[in-house]
């Protein structure tokens, strides 16, 4: 029973992480396709990415595999959004 | 030493959570102020908020206070972004 509960918990962490991490892929795709990013908050993504780096450290210290893997993937996608924001921001910003 | 290490770990989780959660406040503020949301991906926030609900369940099952508190705050802010997206999306969407 304990092993089954642990497995379900790990599975829940995997699905939760997959959804929150890969969700940023939709923003990457939309910004890449439209090349329009003025409504996307740069402040949000700058603060968020700093937080993700700290979550990654927290996951490493707690040896929590779900936190480590998904925060690493999130960091890559968020870095892409910031890159697109600064690349296309000049031409479309108010 | 162990108590100190546990305290530092809790503090790291608090700062990480504060940054990733409150970062969405910048997007709420920008979308509210400009009333322009066409560059914000609805798919991203729909999938992300589903994931946050699952992280909340994961945190509750692991009795991880940092995960519980910050995912609850994130959920409120992300719900506000989705509300603004659907309210202003009609007028500013392509």
């Amino acid at each position: 029973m304990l092993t089954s509960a642990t497995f379900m918990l790990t599975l829940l962490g995997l699905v939760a992480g997959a959804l929150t991490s890969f969700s940023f892929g939709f923003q990457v795709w939309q910004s890449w396709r439209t090349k329009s990013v003025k409504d996307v908050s740069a402040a949000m993504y700058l603060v968020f990415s700093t937080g993700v780096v700290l979550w990654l450290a927290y996951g490493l210290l707690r040896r929590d595999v779900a936190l480590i893997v998904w925060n690493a993937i999130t960091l890559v996608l968020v870095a892409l959004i910031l890159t697109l924001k600064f690349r296309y921001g000049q031409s479309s910003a108010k």
Side-chain angles (χ1 to χ4, degrees), chain A:
Chain A
M1 282 299 282
L2 187 66
T3 309
S4 174
T6 305
F7 173 76
M8 290 302 290
L9 191 62
T10 304
L11 192 67
L12 180 61
L14 281 171
V15 176
L19 291 174
T20 49
S21 291
F22 289 128
S23 66
F24 292 97
F26 288 105
Q27 185 66 63
V28 171
W29 173 248
Q30 181 171 326
S31 299
W32 171 264
R33 191 172 47 82
T34 64
K35 295 179 175 46
S36 177
V37 292
K38 75 168 167 49
D39 300 335
V40 175
S41 168
M44 175 196 135
Y45 282 102
L46 284 171
V47 175
F48 186 80
S49 58
T50 307
V52 170
V53 169
L54 297 188
W55 270 127
L56 199 55
Y58 181 81
L60 285 165
L61 290 168
R62 288 201 60 159
R63 299 173 191 277
D64 187 318
V65 176
L67 280 176
I68 296 166
V69 171
W70 299 121
N71 277 296
I73 293 172
T74 302
L75 195 58
V76 172
L77 291 170
V78 168
L80 281 171
I81 294 170
L82 275 171
T83 303
L84 291 167
K85 173 69 183 173
F86 290 115
R87 174 183 289 182
Y88 299 128
Q90 277 78 6
S91 54
S92 58
K94 287 185 183 181

